[in-house]
Amino acid sequence: MSNPDLFDQEYPHSEEVAFLVSGRMVFDWLAIQKQAQAAKQPKWVGRLRNMDKRIDLEPSPSGPLKIWGTPREDRRYIISADVAEGLSDGDYSVADVLDVSTWEQVAQWRGHVTPYDFADVLGDLGAYYNWGTIAPEVNNHGIATCGRLADNGYPNLYVREQKTEGVVYGWQTTRKNKIEMVNALSHSLRNLDVKINSQDTLEELKSFVYLDTRNDMGAQAGAHDDTVISLAIGVSVLGEMRETPQTTRMRF
């Protein structure tokens, strides 16, 4: 074919492929496949327990936290987050931990919890990962999450804006910068800049499509996009930091 990328669309080899390529996918199918082939199995699954003087790991096969890389003293981390309402049958609250040096996804928390309690989850994650920079989305329910983190005195919240009367914390998604952050994630996927390990993220990337009826992008009917938004925030924050030139960053 003159365009091999269309092969799966014209000659799908499975029901899954037929379903996925039937919509207008935002992210490159081949790039997602490369990520899936290189993804690691979690080293640890469970939850974090705040024991006041330390953070303990509590193993549980059904726990909301998956860890692919434990914190290293010589590394810094970004914790990006998409905040949901917390209903058991609703969207998920998601937090991704990304290594600033390698852009690898080293941990992910995904579950149902109130925005207020999600702040404690993020605080524990940040403390465990060397007091990493926490960048929660502050749209809607995220305002409560970010506010609680600030009130609790978390020392390394993402600063969106500096004002004379003080700083403004958290990541705010607008119609304009949503396109920019999704494009940044798409570019990172194609260039293999970011390293994804979560199967939940990989599945949601496949079902993240252009929504013709609303001139927008989001999950197909019956799917979620919480992990996509969380990762897009993390990649955008890493892009702002520009600590490691893309030409020299180690790729997987």
Side-chain angles (χ1 to χ4, degrees), residues 77-83 94-97 118-129 131-138 145-146 149-150 154-160 169-171 233 237:
Y77 300 93
I78 291 287
I79 299 98
S80 55
D82 181 58
V83 186
V94 175
D96 284 302
V97 183
F118 192 39
D120 295 335
V121 171
L122 293 176
D124 291 345
L125 265 179
Y128 184 67
Y129 280 94
W131 297 105
T133 302
I134 298 179
E137 188 181 45
V138 294
T145 303
C146 193
L149 282 165
Y154 187 81
N156 197 10
L157 270 176
Y158 171 77
V159 176
R160 181 170 81 251
Y169 296 113
W171 178 274
I233 293 172
V237 173

Side-chain angles (χ1 to χ4, degrees), residues 20-213:
L20 291 173
V21 301
S22 62
R24 296 177 57 207
M25 290 181 63
V26 172
F27 300 105
D28 182 72
W29 171 263
L30 293 178
I32 297 172
Q33 290 299 95
K34 289 180 181 178
Q35 293 279 350
Q37 291 166 5
K40 302 175 184 177
Q41 290 297 317
K43 292 182 178 179
W44 184 89
V45 179
R47 52 180 49 86
L48 297 180
R49 291 294 186 192
N50 190 324
M51 306 302 291
D52 191 29
K53 297 296 183 180
R54 68 181 189 275
I55 303 293
D56 280 355
L57 302 177
E58 182 180 286
S60 171
S62 60
L65 177 64
K66 292 182 176 68
I67 291 180
W68 296 275
T70 48
R72 290 174 43 173
E73 292 184 1
D74 61 335
R75 295 293 177 85
R76 296 196 301 130
Y77 300 93
I78 291 287
I79 299 98
S80 55
D82 181 58
V83 186
E85 189 175 0
L87 300 178
S88 59
D89 58 347
D91 290 333
Y92 289 87
S93 288
V94 175
D96 284 302
V97 183
L98 302 172
D99 187 313
V100 173
S101 298
T102 64
W103 287 35
E104 179 176 4
Q105 181 188 50
V106 296
Q108 183 180 79
W109 193 98
R110 180 175 181 263
H112 294 109
V113 67
T114 67
Y116 190 80
D117 292 332
F118 192 39
D120 295 335
V121 171
L122 293 176
D124 291 345
L125 265 179
Y128 184 67
Y129 280 94
N130 302 342
W131 297 105
T133 302
I134 298 179
E137 188 181 45
V138 294
N139 298 50
N140 304 318
H141 314 293
I143 295 176
T145 303
C146 193
R148 177 164 169 80
L149 282 165
D151 292 342
N152 285 348
Y154 187 81
N156 197 10
L157 270 176
Y158 171 77
V159 176
R160 181 170 81 251
E161 190 177 354
Q162 292 273 5
K163 293 185 176 181
T164 53
E165 61 271 21
V167 297
V168 181
Y169 296 113
W171 178 274
Q172 186 171 41
T173 301
T174 64
R175 191 173 183 84
K176 177 183 177 181
N177 74 2
K178 180 179 180 180
I179 297 174
E180 295 172 350
M181 57 196 269
V182 170
N183 285 342
L185 176 55
S186 179
H187 179 79
S188 298
L189 280 172
R190 285 179 177 272
N191 285 1
L192 305 182
D193 289 331
V194 66
K195 171 72 167 66
I196 301 172
N197 290 311
S198 167
Q199 293 299 321
D200 291 318
T201 300
L202 292 168
E203 289 303 314
E204 289 190 7
L205 287 169
K206 295 175 185 177
S207 57
F208 195 83
V209 299
Y210 293 101
L211 305 172
D212 294 330
T213 55

